[in-house]
């Protein structure tokens, strides 16, 4: 209820990034011409939403094996506190999309992982067949290493 009360109307946020910033789930950053000129804005946004999403992250981890595995994945690359903040941010993004799209929570979608691949051939332009073959190899390798499946 705290989250719904503090958000009021989700349509006032055009993008999920604006919502995450308002909820203090991301740090502020000042940059100009590609140079960072200050940290900025650490205390801007809604402190109640930050608290609510942080509590939601801790509660999500209780009795939830999938959530604990997700946090463990974050822990391997980041500090413990930062991993918890990343989980709170992920929950905040999920809440935004649920409210904006009028959908229910999907654990499968929440736990999914996006992988971006950039292909830059050096010698020649690749044909469609070569691109398709390379894509199939990438999908097969990711499936083999992670056990994941391609969501279509």
């Amino acid at each position: 209820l705290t989250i719904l009360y503090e958000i009021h109307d989700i349509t006032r946020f055009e993008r999920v990034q604006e919502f995450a910033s308002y909820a203090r789930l991301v740090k502020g950053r000042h940059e100009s011409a590609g140079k960072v000129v200050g940290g900025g804005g650490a205390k801007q946004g809604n402190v109640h939403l930050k608290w609510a999403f942080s509590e939601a992250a801790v509660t999500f981890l209780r009795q939830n094996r999938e959530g604990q595995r997700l946090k463990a994945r974050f822990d391997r690359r980041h500090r413990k506190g930062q991993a918890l903040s990343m989980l709170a941010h992920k929950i905040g993004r999920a809440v935004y999309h649920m409210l904006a799209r009028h959908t229910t929570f999907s654990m499968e979608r929440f736990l999914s992982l996006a992988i971006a691949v950039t292909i830059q051939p050096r010698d020649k332009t690749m044909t469609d067949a070569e691109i398709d073959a390379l894509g199939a190899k990438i999908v097969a390798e990711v499936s083999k290493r992670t056990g994941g499946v391609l969501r279509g």
Side-chain angles (χ1 to χ4, degrees), residues 68-140:
Q68 292 167 2
R69 279 196 294 264
L70 176 64
K71 185 181 173 295
R73 193 170 74 205
F74 291 159
D75 281 338
R76 283 193 292 273
R77 294 189 179 172
H78 306 281
R79 300 181 319 269
K80 180 181 177 182
Q82 187 176 5
L84 209 54
S85 293
M86 290 169 65
L87 183 59
H89 181 218
K90 192 166 177 73
I91 291 171
R93 292 176 67 91
V95 167
Y96 173 85
H97 289 298
M98 288 182 338
L99 293 174
R101 297 175 183 163
H102 305 286
T103 60
T104 59
F105 180 76
S106 165
M107 182 66 82
E108 179 185 343
R109 200 165 172 82
F110 183 78
L111 296 174
S112 67
L113 175 69
I115 298 174
V117 177
T118 303
I119 303 169
Q120 294 180 332
R122 294 189 176 133
D123 300 334
K124 61 179 180 138
T125 302
M126 296 175 74
T127 65
D128 288 342
E130 291 171 327
I131 293 172
D132 291 341
L134 183 58
K137 285 181 184 177
I138 291 169
V139 169

Side-chain angles (χ1 to χ4, degrees), residues 1-8 46 48-49 51-53 56 95 99:
L1 286 174
T2 300
I3 293 171
L4 292 175
Y5 178 75
E6 293 295 331
I7 292 171
H8 181 63
N46 189 314
H48 304 292
L49 280 175
W51 171 84
F53 284 121
V95 167
L99 293 174

